[in-house]
Amino acid sequence: MTVVEDTDVVMATYAWPSNAELIAACARLGYLKGQLRTLDATYGKGTFWKQWRPDALVTNDIDPESDSDWHADFRVLPFAAGWFDAVVLDPPYKLNGTPTEAVDRRYGVDVVASRRDRMQLIRDGITECARVLGGGYLLLKCQDQVNGGKVRWQTIDFTEHAERCGLGLVDRLDILSYRPQPEGRRQVHARRGSSSLLVFKRGWSWRDDVAPSVIGAAS
């Protein structure tokens, strides 16, 4: 039997060549729409928007060298509550202890920070992005990773925090990539070969026993 690949199908796990193709896939799924006011809270060099870009995109990056509209900390955004229909957040989720690569600056991890501080940084970013988000979607990049001898489940931690902010997990897209095992280190956990894009929506719940309006009521 011949299997015909449907190139229009967006797979939950796929080796997207870049984040630009990933964002384009999210637009095909309807999580991003051209006419809606969209915020990229961590614009960087704008690589997310090389394949698809909404008409009403507002860009922000704390780096003054970034060609973004605003240069604010994503934990303290200069926008009114509920101003955006969609928000994209690609925070420095890499939990490295000591920077060793030139690329670390690009990912915002060129300054030594504790694991707890970096995780809290991202939680605070989720809280702020939830504040400026109206009834649409928050797209968050993160990665489950081994650090300090344990698997740090960012996808679980940030999903739970988003729920406390009134956002429920709608979808998860895993981006496959290959990362070799560091030389001289004994492997004790399955190698993490992917990062994740979590898609949250205001008032949404995947649980049958929890009404959407209940999510975030205690936050």
Side-chain angles (χ1 to χ4, degrees):
M1 181 179 67
T2 302
V3 177
V4 179
E5 181 179 358
D6 187 346
T7 56
D8 291 332
V9 174
V10 177
M11 303 299 294
T13 302
Y14 187 71
W16 280 279
S18 71
N19 284 322
E21 281 83 2
L22 175 65
I23 287 295
C26 289
R28 286 163 56 191
L29 291 171
Y31 300 139
L32 297 168
K33 296 182 179 180
Q35 71 275 21
L36 298 183
R37 185 183 291 133
T38 302
L39 170 67
D40 184 347
T42 46
Y43 182 71
K45 295 184 178 181
T47 55
F48 271 35
W49 312 103
K50 298 297 185 181
Q51 295 287 330
W52 181 91
R53 187 182 180 102
D55 298 328
L57 178 66
V58 177
T59 60
N60 174 76
D61 197 283
I62 196 171
D63 186 353
E65 297 181 5
S66 172
D67 185 24
S68 57
D69 301 321
W70 298 81
H71 297 286
D73 187 325
F74 61 65
R75 297 170 295 179
V76 190
L77 294 169
F79 308 111
W83 185 250
F84 293 98
D85 302 301
V87 179
V88 177
L89 178 63
D90 182 21
Y93 52 78
K94 183 181 175 186
L95 299 177
N96 64 329
T98 303
T100 57
E101 303 175 14
V103 75
D104 282 345
R105 184 177 184 278
R106 177 181 172 189
Y107 290 97
V109 292
D110 55 318
V111 177
V112 176
S114 70
R115 177 175 57 251
R116 289 184 178 181
D117 286 347
R118 200 170 299 287
M119 292 290 286
Q120 189 58 49
L121 170 78
I122 298 172
R123 294 187 199 104
D124 291 343
I126 294 170
T127 299
E128 180 66 352
C129 287
R131 182 187 68 82
V132 301
L133 177 67
Y137 296 97
L138 167 63
L139 279 61
L140 171 72
K141 275 293 295 292
C142 62
Q143 182 182 36
D144 296 331
Q145 55 198 281
V146 177
N147 182 267
K150 296 181 180 180
V151 180
R152 308 297 172 174
W153 299 103
Q154 289 190 347
T155 55
I156 297 175
D157 187 298
F158 299 151
T159 294
E160 291 176 346
H161 184 77
E163 288 184 343
R164 291 191 288 270
C165 296
L167 306 176
L169 184 65
V170 174
D171 209 342
R172 168 177 167 172
L173 288 78
D174 290 323
I175 306 96
L176 293 175
S177 61
Y178 175 71
R179 295 178 177 86
Q181 177 71 11
E183 291 187 17
R185 293 187 183 180
R186 183 175 65 89
Q187 184 176 7
V188 295
H189 299 284
R191 188 74 178 154
R192 260 65 208 169
S194 64
S195 57
S196 300
L197 182 74
L198 305 182
V199 181
F200 300 103
K201 183 175 175 58
R202 173 80 61 196
W204 175 272
S205 176
W206 58 269
R207 299 180 178 88
D208 290 334
D209 58 342
V210 179
S213 60
V214 174
I215 295 181
S219 61

